[in-house]
């Protein structure tokens, strides 16, 4: 597969917009439930949102150096392949195909269904049918080509911004909970370290997407100067929005109420805007989630498709086919079927914990790769270097290890399942290795 020759046309403002657009999604509307359930105290929850932002910034700055050293298509899969060997890139693609992407699709579909039920007053028994229905609908829409997806994404951008800023502004003004709602900080019912780690696992879902930021390096006019500014600036903006909206949540409703509702943003909107205004905010959130899910249906299929083109998966010949609209329909259907299996669980919390655990295993490998490449290729030209090396990469590594170890301790079944599914790719890799790049 040949590398794309990318045109260097992206400036700083565009890069900042890309960062914010890629990262800011549905998590901020739903993760307060997971976060405040984990921390049991509002103060620790706010600290977790801030800490998650700093870990993400450190991670993004670290990964950016690798993206400038290995400016090839494929992102993380390529980085792992170049530094550790082909099997590690394969295992990431395998894990993304079987768990990471379809589980996120399932989580988003369940979130969307929650909004539909709230908006239309449907029975909770409709949660799974509506979630499956939206995945099937978007699979059908994306089979027609990219034009429909573009329209959906435009609507989703508006739907994303309106409820965010409406809740922040009105919540901070009308919220009558006062500073007392932000205290205490230290939980009494569980260990501080465990509570913080569980909260971070949920929060990193809301910050997820930063890993793709480095992919724009080859298209930037001045990546050495603008890329770190875009990453830090964009993630600081996102962290600011996340912290402000959670403070607004807490000024309107106490942490225990936020922890007990499946849709905290809706509950807050109903309080500050009334039933009618709350429904408008709910509709905005629903459109935002719909667009985010559409993006995963659209782009998620590329992972098994690219692997199938190289004959790296079972049934590769079928998965590598394009339909008349130039869409990898079979790969799209495969991801949608996997997501429907996950939807049947009916709960997005464990799905998010599982996806965060799996992807952070590979993230940590990426962060460590900076040290490996500094030693292995000390003289290679680096148009961008991690600032404050080695402190920033160490922060990223420690943050990742903390999330991984905490999941192993607090959610051992998720850890075993995540590692088991990933390791299952090894025999598949060995069995198909002699067939790679040969679909004849």
């Amino acid at each position: 597969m040949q590398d794309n020759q990318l045109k260097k046309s992206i400036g700083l403002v565009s890069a900042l917009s890309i960062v914010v657009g890629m990262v800011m999604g549905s998590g901020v509307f739903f993760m307060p439930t997971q976060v405040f359930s984990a921390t049991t105290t509002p103060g620790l929850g706010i600290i977790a949102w801030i800490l998650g932002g700093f870990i993400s910034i450190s991670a993004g700055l670290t990964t950016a150096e690798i993206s400038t050293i290995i400016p090839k298509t494929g992102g993380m899969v390529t980085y792992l392949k170049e530094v550790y060997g082909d099997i590690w890139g394969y295992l990431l693609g395998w894990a993304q195909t079987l768990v990471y992407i379809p589980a996120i699709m399932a989580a988003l579909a369940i979130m969307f269904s929650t909004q539909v039920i709230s908006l239309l007053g449907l029975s909770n028994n409709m949660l799974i049918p509506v979630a499956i229905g939206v995945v099937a609908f978007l699979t059908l829409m994306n089979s027609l080509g990219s034009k429909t997806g573009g329209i959906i994404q435009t609507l989703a951008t508006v739907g994303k911004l309106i409820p965010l800023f409406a809740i922040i502004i009105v919540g901070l003004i009308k919220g009558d909970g006062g500073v007392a709602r932000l205290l205490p900080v230290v939980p009494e019912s569980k260990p501080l370290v465990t509570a913080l780690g569980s909260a971070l696992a949920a929060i990193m879902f809301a910050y997820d997407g930063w890993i793709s930021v480095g992919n724009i390096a080859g298209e930037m006019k001045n990546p050495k100067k603008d890329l770190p500014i875009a990453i830090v600036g964009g993630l600081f903006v996102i962290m600011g929005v996340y912290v402000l909206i959670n403070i607004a949540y807490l000024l309107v409703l106490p942490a225990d109420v936020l922890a007990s509702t499946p849709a905290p943003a809706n509950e807050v909107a109903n309080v500050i805007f009334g039933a009618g205004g709350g429904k408008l905010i709910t509709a905005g959130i629903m459109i935002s989630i719909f667009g985010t899910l559409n993006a995963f249906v659209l782009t998620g299929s590329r992972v098994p498709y690219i692997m199938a083109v190289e004959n790296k998966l079972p049934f590769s010949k079928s998965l590598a086919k394009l339909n008349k609209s130039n869409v990898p329909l079979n790969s799209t259907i495969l991801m949608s079927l996997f997501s429907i299996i996950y939807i049947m669980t009916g709960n997005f919390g464990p799905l998010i914990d599982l996806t965060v655990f799996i992807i952070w295993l590979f993230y940590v490998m990426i962060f460590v790769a900076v040290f490996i490449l500094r030693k292995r290729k000390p003289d290679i030209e680096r148009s961008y270097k991690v600032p404050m090396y080695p402190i920033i990469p160490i922060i990223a590594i420690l943050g990742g290890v903390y999330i991984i170890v905490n999941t192993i301790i607090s959610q051992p079944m998720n850890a075993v399942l995540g590692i088991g599914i990933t390791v299952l790719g090894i025999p598949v890799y060995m069995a198909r290795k002699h067939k790679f790049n040969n679909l004849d």
Side-chain angles (χ1 to χ4, degrees):
M1 187 179 295
Q2 295 180 339
D3 296 333
N4 294 328
Q5 298 300 313
L6 301 173
K7 184 178 179 181
K8 294 183 179 296
S9 59
I10 298 177
L12 177 58
V13 175
S14 297
L16 276 167
S17 301
I18 291 170
V19 174
V20 175
M22 286 164 58
V23 176
M24 195 178 292
S26 58
V28 68
F29 299 122
F30 289 86
M31 287 306 98
T33 298
Q34 309 297 117
V35 172
F36 294 117
S37 294
T39 62
T40 69
T41 61
L44 186 60
I46 296 298
I47 290 172
W49 281 103
I50 296 172
L51 183 59
F54 280 117
I55 292 174
S56 296
I57 289 169
S58 299
L61 288 172
T62 302
T63 306
E65 178 172 321
I66 298 179
S67 70
T68 58
I69 297 173
I70 310 174
K72 299 180 180 180
T73 56
M76 278 183 70
V77 171
T78 302
Y79 304 157
L80 291 170
K81 179 180 177 180
E82 291 280 329
V83 178
Y84 297 101
D86 185 58
I87 189 171
W88 290 104
Y90 181 89
L91 288 178
L92 172 59
W94 172 267
Q96 286 179 317
T97 298
L98 262 67
V99 182
Y100 181 69
I101 295 172
I104 288 180
M105 288 170 56
L108 290 168
I110 293 172
M111 292 177 188
F112 176 83
S113 182
T114 301
Q115 298 302 103
V116 172
I117 288 172
S118 174
L119 186 65
L120 302 181
L122 301 177
S123 167
N124 287 332
N125 293 331
M126 293 299 296
L127 180 71
I128 292 177
V130 172
I132 293 175
V134 70
V135 170
F137 175 76
L138 286 175
T139 301
L140 176 62
M141 290 297 99
N142 278 282
S143 71
L144 303 177
S146 60
K147 186 176 180 179
T148 303
I151 296 173
I152 292 172
Q153 292 309 125
T154 301
L155 291 173
T157 300
V158 177
K160 180 188 302 182
L161 296 177
I162 291 177
L164 269 173
F165 289 109
I167 291 174
I168 289 174
I169 294 170
V170 181
L172 292 176
I173 294 173
K174 292 184 65 175
D176 59 359
V179 178
R181 282 265 177 85
L182 305 181
L183 300 172
V185 174
V186 180
E188 296 180 358
S189 58
K190 61 176 67 175
L192 175 64
V193 174
T194 302
L196 183 60
S198 298
L200 278 174
I203 286 170
M204 298 322 291
F205 173 83
Y207 282 107
D208 200 25
W210 56 263
I211 193 71
S212 301
V213 173
N215 293 344
I216 67 174
E219 300 170 79
M220 295 183 69
K221 297 176 182 177
N222 190 352
K224 184 176 181 180
K225 177 183 177 182
D226 292 346
L227 184 59
I229 296 175
I231 292 173
V232 174
L235 286 172
F236 262 118
V237 168
I238 294 163
M239 181 172 67
V241 170
Y242 285 178
V243 172
L244 283 174
I245 199 170
N246 275 274
I247 291 175
Y249 288 155
L250 289 168
L251 294 181
V252 175
L253 293 173
D256 59 340
V257 174
L258 294 173
S260 63
T261 175
N266 301 71
E267 296 292 337
V268 170
N270 286 331
V271 172
I272 59 179
F273 296 110
K279 287 187 177 298
L280 287 176
I281 297 297
T282 298
I285 297 171
M286 186 175 71
I287 293 170
S288 174
I289 298 168
F290 187 77
T292 305
L293 176 57
N294 175 72
F296 271 93
V297 174
L298 176 66
T299 62
S301 61
R302 293 179 183 178
V303 175
Y305 168 72
I306 291 172
M307 294 183 73
V309 166
E310 298 177 350
N311 203 18
K312 290 185 173 181
L313 291 176
F315 310 106
S316 283
K317 194 168 185 178
S318 177
L319 294 174
K321 285 184 179 179
L322 299 176
N323 68 1
K324 294 180 180 180
S325 300
N326 210 36
V327 172
L329 181 58
N330 291 336
S331 290
T332 304
I333 291 173
L334 175 70
M335 301 302 278
S336 297
L337 288 175
F338 281 155
S339 73
I340 288 172
I341 293 173
Y342 291 122
I343 285 171
M344 299 300 290
T345 65
N347 187 356
F348 63 80
L351 292 176
I352 288 170
D353 292 336
L354 179 60
T355 59
V356 169
F357 173 77
I358 288 177
I359 204 65
W360 273 86
L361 289 172
F362 292 101
Y363 283 170
V364 170
M365 291 182 70
I366 295 292
F367 307 151
V368 173
V370 171
F371 293 94
I372 295 174
L373 290 174
R374 287 278 183 114
K375 184 176 181 180
R376 186 185 297 172
K377 300 180 179 181
D379 299 325
I380 194 172
E381 182 182 351
R382 289 171 168 82
S383 59
Y384 161 82
K385 291 184 178 181
V386 184
M388 294 189 291
Y389 179 90
I391 296 174
I392 294 296
I394 289 174
I395 291 173
I397 292 170
L398 291 177
V401 170
Y402 181 46
I403 293 168
I404 292 168
V405 171
N406 184 79
T407 303
I408 293 173
I409 295 173
S410 62
Q411 302 169 43
M413 287 304 298
N414 267 341
V416 171
L417 181 61
I419 293 172
I421 291 174
T422 303
V423 171
L424 186 62
I426 295 176
V428 179
Y429 174 87
M430 299 306 295
R432 299 195 64 81
K433 190 175 180 179
H434 67 286
K435 299 180 180 180
F436 290 177
N437 298 309
N438 179 19
L439 276 179
D440 297 331

